Amino acid sequence: MRSELYIDGRWTAPAQGETLPVVNPATEEVFHHIPAATEADAEAAVRAARRAFDEGPWPRMTGAERAKILRAMAEGIRARLPELARLEVMDNGKPLPEAEWDLADAAGCFDFYAGLAEELDGEVEPIPLADGRFTSKAVREPVGVAAAIVPWNYPLLMASWKVAPALAAGCTMVLKPAEATSLTALELGAIAEEAGLPPGVLNILSGKGSVVGQALVDHPQVDKVAFTGSGPVGSRIMASAARDIKRISLELGGKSPFVVFGDSDLDRAVEWIMFGIFWNQGQVCSATSRVLVERSLYDRLLGRLVEEAEKIRIGDGLQPGTLLGPLVNKVQYDNVLSHIDRAVEQGAKLATGGKAQGFNHGYFVAPTVLTDAPLDSDAWREEIFGPVVCLRPFDTEEEAIRLANDSRFGLAAAVMSGDDVRAERVAAAFRAGIVWINCSQPTFTEAPWGGYKQSGIGRELGRWGLDNYLETKQITRLVSDEPWGWYIK
Ligand code: NAD
C-alpha cells in the first residue's frame, strides 16, 4: 500500500507531511494512512503536468504509440487484479466479486481507449466550403492539462473512465481520488510507471477535496476539470471553473425511476429491481431508487421483493457469499440511516430494512424497502446513495411517465414490460441520459454515460468520453490568387 503521492514520475511525501487514516468499513479498523496533499502538492503536480504537455513527448506521440502504453496499463491492472480487488474491498466495503468486475472493467476501459487513440492518427475531416477560393479541414487536438476528481463508490473504475480517455487524447493530468478510497488510484501510478508512461503525464494526489481538489479546480494552468461526485460540489466546481473558462464535464447524482408494467415477469422484475438498488450497497449514481409498479402487479411484487431482500447475505466483502457489504464510511452510514428515519417521519412505511442486525462493528445497512413515501418527501426526491428503494403503484402509462420524469435529476431510467412497443415508447419519453429496457444498471465502455438536468454536463465512455479531452481546430487555406478585394480593388 502506497504512502506517498505520485508527482512527475516520482513517489513524493506530501509537502505538509499530513496523512489521512484508512478505515476498513467492515471492521472499523484503521489499517493504513494515505498522504494528504495540500496546495503546494497541487502546484507541483500541475507544474509537472503542464511541462509534460508543453514540452514532453506524450501529446506529440502518435495515437498508436500512446495506445501501446494504454494497453500495457490495462495489462498491469489485470496482472494485479487479485491484489487490487482486495484493496478495493478493504477501502470501500464492496463484495469481492463486485470489486473484481470493476477492475476487469477498468482494464477494459484502457484497452478501449487505446483503440480510439489509434483512430485519432491522421484523423482529418475535410470541410466542404461554398466559397471555392478556400479549402478547410477540421482536426482534433488534446485539451491540455486535465484535473480528474473522482468519488469513492467505484474507486479505480471511476478513475479509469477519466484517465484512459484523457491519456488517449494526449492530455496530461492530475488525478484526485476520493479521500475515503485512494488506495487503488495510488497503485495506478505504479502501473503507469511500469507501462512506460513518461514522467509528469499522470500525477496522483490523494487528499481532501476541499483542500487539494479545490486547489486543482482553481489552478490557472489546468485547462479541463472532469468531475464525478455530488451535485453541490459539482455546482461549486462549475462556478470556480467559470473564472478561467475551463472546460468541464460533470457526472453528478440521480434519483432514477424504474417503471414496471403489470405484464412483466415477476421473477425477472424482482431480480432487476434488487440489482438496480442493492448492488454496491446502493451507492450507485444510476441506482433505480424509485420503483413505479402497475397496480395489478404491485402487491405481489412488493411481497416478493421484501421476501428476497430479507434473504440477502450481509457481511464483510472479503467473506465468500457476501452479497451486501458495509457502506463506505461512518458519514455515509449515519446519513443513510437518518434518511430512513426521516422517511418514516415524513409518512413512508418501512416494509423491511434499516440498521442491519447482528453486527457489533461495521457500517452495515440492511436492504431497505419503503412504501407510501409522499411525492414531496426527501425519500422520494433526494438521492440517498444507500440500499434504500421506494415503491409506488401507478395506474396508467401517462401517470408513470409523469412521476418518473418529476425529478430535478435525469441520470438514468428503466422500464420493464412484456410489450416491446410500449417499452420503447416509455423509453423515448424518459428525460434521462441512460435508459434501460427490461433491466437496470448494465454499463458498457462503448456506450455514452451521463445525465440530463442536474445529473451533469457532458458524457463519459464511448467516443463521447474521448471528446471531453479534445479541442477541435479549423484550418483554412486560401487557394486562389485573386486579390481579396478589401482595399486592393
Ligand atoms: P463528493 O462530491 O463529496 O466528492 C467527490 C470528489 O470531489 C471527491 O474526490 C472529493 O474529495 C472531491 N471534492 C470535494 N469537495 C471538493 C471541492 N470543493 N473541490 C474539488 N473537489 C472536491 O461526492 P462523493 O460523496 O465522493 O460521491 C457520491 C456522489 O457522487 C453521489 O452524489 C453520486 O451520485 C455521485 N456519483 C455520480 C456518478 C455519475 O457517473 N453520475 C458516479 C459515481 C458517483
Side-chain angles (χ1 to χ4, degrees):
M1 280 179 280
R2 307 274 152 183
S3 305
E4 291 173 310
L5 307 169
Y6 188 61
I7 302 175
D8 210 7
R10 282 186 292 271
W11 293 96
T12 312
Q16 305 283 335
E18 290 175 19
T19 62
L20 292 168
V22 185
V23 180
N24 181 333
T27 61
E28 300 184 40
E29 278 163 8
V30 174
F31 65 95
H32 188 58
H33 284 82
I34 47 163
T38 52
E39 287 86 351
D41 304 299
E43 180 61 40
V46 173
R47 216 176 312 130
R50 188 78 256 167
R51 206 169 38 243
F53 187 80
D54 293 341
E55 300 161 24
W58 190 250
R60 290 155 197 89
M61 284 181 178
T62 62
E65 287 167 330
R66 288 198 297 272
K68 238 186 226 164
I69 293 178
L70 289 170
R71 289 202 178 96
M73 288 178 75
E75 279 314 307
I77 294 172
R78 285 190 193 104
R80 299 171 62 174
L81 200 142
E83 170 206 341
L84 293 171
R86 282 184 72 83
L87 284 184
E88 214 76 303
V89 175
M90 288 161 68
D91 221 5
N92 164 284
K94 65 179 67 201
L96 188 62
E98 291 189 22
E100 289 167 348
W101 282 3
D102 292 359
L103 293 164
D105 275 1
C109 186
F110 278 91
D111 277 336
F112 177 80
Y113 283 105
L116 291 197
E118 286 167 337
E119 285 178 24
L120 280 176
D121 281 340
E123 182 196 270
V124 177
E125 193 184 337
I127 312 290
L129 297 179
D131 189 332
R133 293 171 299 173
F134 302 91
T135 61
S136 192
K137 62 184 176 186
V139 296
R140 296 197 299 166
E141 297 179 344
V143 163
V145 174
I149 301 176
V150 297
W152 43 257
N153 57 344
Y154 294 91
L156 193 67
L157 185 57
M158 288 295 105
S160 302
W161 283 18
K162 298 186 183 350
V163 173
L167 296 185
C171 288
T172 61
M173 63 191 309
V174 183
L175 167 66
K176 211 298 281 171
E179 41 273 64
T181 55
S182 298
L183 295 179
T184 50
L186 288 169
E187 293 301 330
L188 192 62
I191 290 167
E193 206 170 10
E194 284 158 23
L197 195 72
V201 174
L202 171 65
N203 304 274
I204 305 170
L205 302 180
S206 52
K208 288 190 176 157
S210 55
V211 179
V212 64
Q214 189 66 49
L216 292 173
V217 173
D218 287 339
H219 202 295
Q221 298 287 313
V222 168
D223 301 297
K224 149 93 192 172
V225 179
F227 172 76
T228 298
S230 61
V233 175
S235 164
R236 193 185 168 127
I237 286 178
M238 196 169 171
S240 304
R243 199 185 43 225
D244 305 322
I245 322 285
K246 289 188 173 75
R247 278 83 186 110
I248 53 164
S249 45
L250 305 174
E251 300 287 350
L252 309 176
K255 189 77 190 176
S256 302
F258 192 164
V259 173
V260 181
F261 283 95
D263 57 1
S264 303
D265 178 275
L266 181 63
D267 289 340
R268 287 285 86 82
V270 169
E271 184 182 16
W272 284 110
I273 291 169
M274 302 233 303
F275 186 65
I277 189 62
F278 298 143
W279 84 301
N280 208 33
Q281 294 66 244
Q283 300 164 133
V284 182
C285 51
S286 56
T288 30
S289 51
R290 292 185 294 140
V291 176
L292 294 150
V293 186
E294 195 165 10
R295 200 174 295 277
S296 58
L297 189 65
Y298 182 81
D299 288 339
R300 276 196 303 145
L301 189 145
L302 172 62
R304 271 295 300 285
L305 181 62
V306 168
E307 193 184 319
E308 296 299 329
E310 289 175 351
K311 285 190 206 153
I312 285 183
R313 181 115 148 238
I314 305 173
D316 188 325
L318 290 176
Q319 206 88 46
T322 293
L323 216 52
L324 197 95
L327 300 192
V328 69
N329 59 19
K330 176 90 167 76
V331 173
Q332 191 62 13
Y333 174 72
D334 290 342
N335 188 24
V336 170
L337 288 180
S338 78
H339 253 295
I340 297 171
D341 289 344
R342 200 159 59 250
V344 174
E345 277 161 30
Q346 292 181 348
K349 294 198 181 100
L350 183 65
T352 186
K355 188 174 184 302
Q357 302 303 312
F359 292 93
N360 296 324
H361 302 288
Y363 308 124
F364 295 97
V365 174
T368 299
V369 179
L370 296 168
T371 62
D372 302 275
L375 290 176
D376 60 354
S377 64
D378 292 347
W380 187 258
R381 306 204 77 82
E382 300 301 322
E383 183 178 49
I384 298 177
F385 224 57
V388 183
V389 66
C390 291
L391 236 67
R392 183 180 191 90
F394 71 85
D395 292 300
T396 64
E397 183 178 319
E398 293 67 32
E399 182 194 7
I401 292 168
R402 184 172 47 75
L403 289 170
N405 285 337
D406 180 19
S407 170
R408 69 176 196 279
F409 299 112
L411 185 57
V415 56
M416 181 173 275
S417 172
D419 177 346
D420 286 347
V421 174
R422 174 159 65 183
E424 288 286 346
R425 195 165 57 227
V426 173
F430 283 143
R431 298 280 302 153
I434 305 147
V435 171
W436 288 289
I437 296 179
N438 294 341
C439 62
S440 170
Q441 307 303 317
T443 299
F444 303 95
T445 312
E446 303 88 336
W449 183 274
Y452 284 23
K453 301 192 261 183
Q454 291 188 26
S455 289
I457 293 182
R459 293 293 179 271
E460 294 199 291
L461 297 182
R463 63 179 168 75
W464 302 268
L466 190 67
D467 292 346
N468 281 326
Y469 301 97
L470 291 168
E471 293 278 16
T472 302
K473 179 186 273 178
Q474 172 207 148
I475 302 176
T476 295
R477 177 198 284 259
L478 174 68
V479 289
S480 151
D481 291 333
E482 291 165 34
W484 182 231
W486 183 55
Y487 74 101
I488 303 174
K489 298 287 175 201

